[in-house]
Amino acid sequence: MENQETPFKAGLNAGVILGIVSVVLTFVVYFISPITLASGTFGIGMLVVFIGILIYLGIQYRKSIGGFMEFGPAFNFSFIAMVVAGIISQIGTALLYNVVDPSLPGVLVEQTLENTMEMMEKFGAADSMSTQQIDEMREGLSANYTLMGQIKAFGIALIIYAVLSLILGAIIKKRDKSLDY
């Protein structure tokens, strides 16, 4: 009997690959232009790359186990890969924020606040903001870069990972129609 890789082990391997790619891309962008880390474009771009690599690795895994995979194992593969990648990414960003450049969170908070205010100006809502409200926004944004803020963000990310895994599981799965009667 052929020894096949389980969805857990394949997801673990894919997660390590995704996590390393995420950390490397984050550090490359940091060294090129740290302010880019605060842009929505960077986040969306990372998500697209992340999902693209995960679909590719999922299809490769499906091919390695015979070309067919039910939804359950496809979901497990995707979710485990995202959780592992998320943990590695969190460790990488914690190192970036606390060891490599402890002043970076302050820079990112100010850039995010500036981006938010520009967006609010486009909708005509910036004028109604008081200094106190802006300071509260700044404090809230600063809290996101603390260790506790990172842990809370990861908790929210787990919910997002589960939803994305449902979608990716549906994309990666492939039923063996020859088993239908």
Side-chain angles (χ1 to χ4, degrees):
M1 183 170 172
E2 186 178 320
N3 191 7
Q4 292 184 347
E5 191 174 36
T6 64
F8 180 82
K9 187 165 178 2
L12 194 64
N13 293 338
V16 168
I17 292 168
L18 286 171
I20 291 170
V21 167
S22 174
V23 170
V24 167
L25 286 175
T26 300
F27 273 82
V28 166
V29 169
Y30 164 74
F31 288 120
I32 292 172
S33 173
I35 292 173
T36 305
L37 293 172
S39 75
T41 307
F42 173 72
I44 291 170
M46 285 289 284
L47 183 64
V48 168
V49 168
F50 199 76
I51 289 173
I53 292 172
L54 193 54
I55 289 172
Y56 173 77
L57 293 173
I59 291 171
Q60 291 303 109
Y61 169 61
R62 183 183 72 203
K63 287 178 182 176
S64 76
I65 60 169
F68 300 104
M69 184 166 41
E70 294 295 322
F71 175 77
F75 170 80
N76 290 340
F77 166 83
S78 299
F79 187 69
I80 290 164
M82 285 194 203
V83 169
V84 170
I87 291 169
I88 292 170
S89 181
Q90 288 289 0
I91 291 169
T93 55
L95 287 172
L96 180 62
Y97 297 156
N98 298 305
V99 177
V100 176
D101 189 354
S103 66
L104 182 61
V107 172
L108 295 178
V109 165
E110 291 305 318
Q111 185 62 43
T112 303
L113 188 61
E114 186 178 312
N115 293 348
T116 303
M117 294 307 289
E118 286 176 12
M119 181 68 72
M120 291 177 76
E121 282 178 15
K122 289 180 183 177
F123 292 110
D127 296 335
S128 64
M129 294 287 292
S130 70
T131 306
Q132 182 182 359
Q133 289 173 319
I134 293 172
D135 288 341
E136 287 174 8
M137 282 177 57
R138 184 176 286 113
E139 286 176 24
L141 290 170
S142 294
N144 292 339
Y145 291 100
T146 64
L147 183 59
M148 198 57 178
Q150 296 274 310
I151 291 170
K152 286 179 186 176
F154 186 70
I156 294 167
L158 287 174
I159 296 167
I160 295 167
Y161 294 162
V163 172
L164 285 174
S165 293
L166 289 170
I167 296 166
L168 291 170
I171 293 170
I172 295 170
K173 76 168 176 68
K174 185 174 182 183
R175 270 186 339 118
D176 185 357
K177 293 182 180 162
S178 68
L179 298 177
D180 292 344
Y181 295 111

